[in-house]
């Protein structure tokens, strides 16, 4: 709440402009100054500055709400509670769709459809409320240069052919999606910090960052002293501002994440560095001494980040062309598994696929293992995520040894 802009604290326009010349933009900037410093920059008396402090403090202090008030607000205006994904079985489990007012993370290996999902929900957010949309604009922060305007139009036209029945409607939809390409941590954080006024001026109803892990993992080598603390600070600041924006404006915020391969001794290997040929060896892992090493693929960015997101959806491989969607963490939904494919209209659930023999058992979302290659589904919880093998090959041994020697440790706290 302290990141709220002073313009929204009901200070005069003249005072806000004067403060901005001294780089005092947010409530936090204002409240961090001493009374003497505030008297100097505002040109006001001690008494007037005290009144300003009280006014700004009240503006950014969290408002107390009863559970009844929260429930009543959502029942009166259901469209402000969820953004339906049009994946009906998933929406049913999530009590309506992607929740507004909180952070939702999409995690998967490369090629499972994270960006496809983000593009699809971008279209949905622009739809009228009568069609299950939010009738607003979208801010899409692309850190991997993966966004495709052509794919956006293709999904819109194939998913809602009756509504998008003319080029004019398609162009109107594309003008509602504001794309920013930010390739560094600093630029991403600056963009996040500037979102408040854009959300108001552009009537934004959805914020997407695809992806958070991309810039973090490029810039922070956690083997270097101090990098863990810097990375933690960046993630904490970003998550705090995004949570404030989600709650303040009752909008969904969707973030995508990457995967990492964790070893039983606490080391971790970035899973995008793992060769597909080594996937089988990673399920049990052979150490140089012949001892079995417990290895699994999990969401990146560590345990602390996993506590920052409210909902975590995992996309993983199953068999060609089917993939799986897991509800790994949610305040309202149980651990659930869905099968889906990707076509011209985006993600499509395979509701008829047999799930009678699947063991739906959740675990710590930060440690939820993820399947990284196409293998047949086995009806046991132990085989639910990664293929296994009993053979120990020289290639698997050397790979794990090299991984433990050269690759860094993911932050747990």
């Amino acid at each position: 709440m302290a990141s709220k802009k002073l313009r929204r604290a009901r200070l005069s326009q003249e005072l806000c402009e004067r403060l901005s010349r001294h780089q005092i933009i947010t409530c936090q900037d204002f409240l961090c100054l001493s009374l003497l410093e505030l008297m100097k920059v505002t040109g006001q008396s001690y008494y007037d500055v005290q009144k300003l402090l009280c006014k700004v403090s009240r503006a950014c202090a969290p408002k107390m709400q009863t559970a009844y008030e929260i429930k009543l607000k959502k029942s009166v205006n259901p469209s402000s509670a969820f953004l339906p994904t049009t994946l009906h079985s998933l929406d049913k489990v999530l009590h309506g769709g992607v929740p507004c007012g909180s952070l939702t993370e999409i995690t998967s290996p490369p090629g499972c459809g994270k960006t496809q999902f983000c593009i699809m929900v971008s279209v949905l957010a622009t739809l009228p409320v009568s069609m299950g949309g939010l009738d607003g604009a979208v801010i899409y922060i692309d850190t991997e240069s993966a966004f495709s305007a052509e794919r956006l139009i293709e999904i819109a036209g194939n998913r809602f052919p009756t509504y998008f029945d003319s080029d004019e409607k398609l162009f109107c939809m594309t003008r509602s999606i504001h794309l920013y390409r930010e390739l560094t941590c600093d630029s991403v954080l600056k963009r996040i910090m500037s979102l408040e006024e854009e959300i108001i001026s552009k009537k934004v109803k959805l914020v997407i960052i695809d992806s958070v892990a991309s810039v973090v993992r490029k810039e922070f080598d956690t083997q270097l002293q101090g990098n863990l603390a810097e990375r933690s600070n960046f993630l904490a600041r970003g998550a705090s501002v995004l949570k404030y924006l989600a709650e303040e404006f009752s909008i969904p915020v969707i973030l995508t994440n990457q995967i990492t391969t964790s070893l039983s001794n606490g080391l971790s290997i970035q899973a995008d560095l793992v060769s597909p040929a080594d996937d089988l060896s990673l399920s049990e892992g052979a150490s140089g001494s012949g001892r079995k090493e417990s290895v699994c693929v999990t969401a990146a960015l560590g345990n602390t980040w996993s506590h920052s997101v409210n909902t975590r959806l995992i996309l993983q491989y199953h068999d060609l062309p089917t993939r799986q969607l897991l509800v790994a963490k949610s305040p309202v939904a149980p651990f659930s598994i869905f099968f889906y494919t990707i076509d011209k209209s985006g993600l499509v659930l395979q509701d008829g696929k047999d799930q009678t023999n699947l063991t739906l058992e959740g675990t710590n979302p930060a440690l939820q293992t993820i399947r990284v290659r196409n293998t047949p589904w086995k009806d046991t919880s132990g085989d639910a995520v990664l293929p296994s093998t009993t053979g120990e090959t020289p290639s698997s041994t050397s790979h794990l040894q090299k991984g433990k020697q050269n690759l860094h440790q993911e932050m747990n706290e």
Side-chain angles (χ1 to χ4, degrees), residues 272-307:
D272 50 355
L273 301 179
V274 177
S275 166
D278 294 320
D279 284 344
L280 287 173
S281 66
L282 284 174
S283 61
E284 291 185 357
S287 66
S289 62
R291 178 177 54 85
K292 296 293 183 180
E293 193 84 52
S294 175
V295 181
C296 63
V297 175
T298 64
L301 301 183
N303 195 42
T304 299
W305 172 255
S306 73
H307 290 291

Side-chain angles (χ1 to χ4, degrees), residues 234-247:
F234 169 78
L235 292 172
R237 288 182 65 191
S240 175
V241 174
L242 290 170
K243 280 194 173 187
Y244 158 69
L245 294 173
E247 294 173 3

Side-chain angles (χ1 to χ4, degrees), residues 133-153:
L134 299 178
D135 194 20
V138 177
I139 288 180
Y140 195 116
I141 301 174
D142 181 13
T143 68
E144 298 183 325
S145 300
F147 181 86
S148 168
E150 292 78 11
R151 181 59 173 148
L152 174 76
I153 293 172

Side-chain angles (χ1 to χ4, degrees), residues 71 74 77-100 102 104 117 120-121 124-125 129 131-134 252 254 311 313 327 330-334 336 338 349:
K71 177 67 176 175
K74 291 184 177 181
N77 187 13
S79 65
S80 67
F82 297 96
L83 170 60
T85 66
T86 68
L87 305 174
H88 300 299
S89 297
L90 175 63
D91 288 343
K92 184 177 180 180
V93 167
L94 293 176
H95 293 203
V98 177
C100 297
S102 64
T104 297
F117 183 91
M120 185 180 77
V121 295
L124 299 175
V129 175
M131 294 182 63
L134 299 178
I254 297 177
T311 303
L313 305 180
V327 180
S330 169
V332 297
S336 307
F338 303 93
L349 287 189

